[in-house]
Amino acid sequence: RFIALTEFSRQKFISAGLPASRLSVKANFVRDTGHSGPARSGALFVGRISPEKGVQTLLAAWRAVKGVPLLVVGDGPDLEQLRKDAPENVTFLGHQPTERVLALMRQSSVLIVPSVWYEGFPVTVVEAFASGLPVLASNIGSLSEVVVDGVNGRVFEVGKDRALAASVEQLFSDAESLVALGVGARSSYENLYTPEVNLRMLE
């Protein structure tokens, strides 16, 4: 039996020659990190600062976004250059310990995952859902399967900074919808990504 993290990944393995009858989907999971209420602000990126993660798209989008601060957590080969090029409403925090990242998730309004290449199943996304934090993600590969548009987040066209900026402005102009997406994110975690649910799927 082979385990794939998403149906998208499963189909990729099948197309590569693995037998469909021996491939099952079992998502990643995290322990409950706790979540807070609707008193949140700003946007958050957590990940490696490298080309495939789409941070350049993110910064290009933020040049057009007004009034929404962005925190960027992570390290990588592009960190110093992107920090120099970043607009004033973007703050790079570098590498942060897990507890600090989780605290930032509980304080932020949206997690942005602007990847321009396939992801497996980012644990960051599951941590966000557990925190009641909706996710705004590229519509590429597994991301557009995990992030259900209008339920636990939003998706935008991969690599398109204008589409990302428009999505951000739309989200932050509708506080009620943003809160509802946060509730949907937490619900997705409770129904799909807890240790208990994952154990049942594995068994």
Side-chain angles (χ1 to χ4, degrees):
R1 177 70 58 180
F2 299 99
I3 294 176
L5 294 173
T6 62
E7 183 59 33
F8 175 83
S9 298
R10 180 175 179 271
Q11 292 302 323
K12 286 292 181 187
F13 288 125
I14 290 170
S15 67
L18 290 178
S21 62
R22 293 184 62 196
L23 275 159
S24 296
V25 175
K26 185 190 74 66
N28 277 330
F29 73 98
V30 296
R31 296 189 183 280
D32 194 349
T33 56
H35 63 292
S36 56
R40 298 165 175 259
S41 63
L44 178 68
F45 168 90
V46 178
R48 182 171 165 78
I49 313 299
S50 53
E52 74 278 5
K53 296 298 185 180
V55 188
Q56 287 183 322
T57 303
L58 182 61
L59 295 189
W62 238 259
R63 292 186 182 94
V65 170
K66 306 301 179 189
V68 180
L70 169 66
L71 297 178
V72 177
V73 176
D75 203 349
D78 292 350
L79 175 61
E80 291 310 316
Q81 185 58 52
L82 292 179
R83 183 178 291 181
K84 290 176 187 174
D85 296 341
E88 290 183 1
N89 53 351
V90 178
T91 304
F92 282 80
L93 300 178
H95 173 76
Q96 296 291 320
T98 300
E99 286 307 313
R100 173 66 173 148
V101 173
L102 296 176
L104 289 170
M105 285 184 173
R106 289 190 289 269
Q107 296 164 14
S108 301
S109 294
V110 65
L111 176 77
I112 303 184
V113 185
S115 302
V116 295
W117 190 240
Y118 296 147
E119 296 279 1
F121 192 134
V123 171
T124 304
V125 171
V126 190
E127 290 172 337
F129 289 166
S131 302
L133 179 63
V135 177
L136 176 56
S138 305
N139 63 345
I140 183 173
S142 297
L143 286 175
S144 53
E145 178 182 335
V146 176
V147 179
V148 183
D149 194 72
V151 175
N152 53 24
R154 295 284 185 187
V155 295
F156 68 95
E157 190 175 355
V158 58
K160 303 294 185 182
D161 57 274
R162 289 184 181 179
L164 173 53
S167 294
V168 170
E169 288 175 346
Q170 184 181 33
L171 278 173
F172 280 88
S173 68
D174 187 352
E176 226 173 85
S177 175
L178 200 50
V179 169
L181 290 174
V183 172
R186 177 65 189 186
S187 180
S188 291
Y189 169 73
E190 292 173 350
N191 292 324
L192 299 171
Y193 305 122
T194 66
E196 295 77 14
V197 169
N198 202 271
L199 178 59
R200 288 198 297 272
M201 292 172 70
L202 183 61
E203 290 174 337

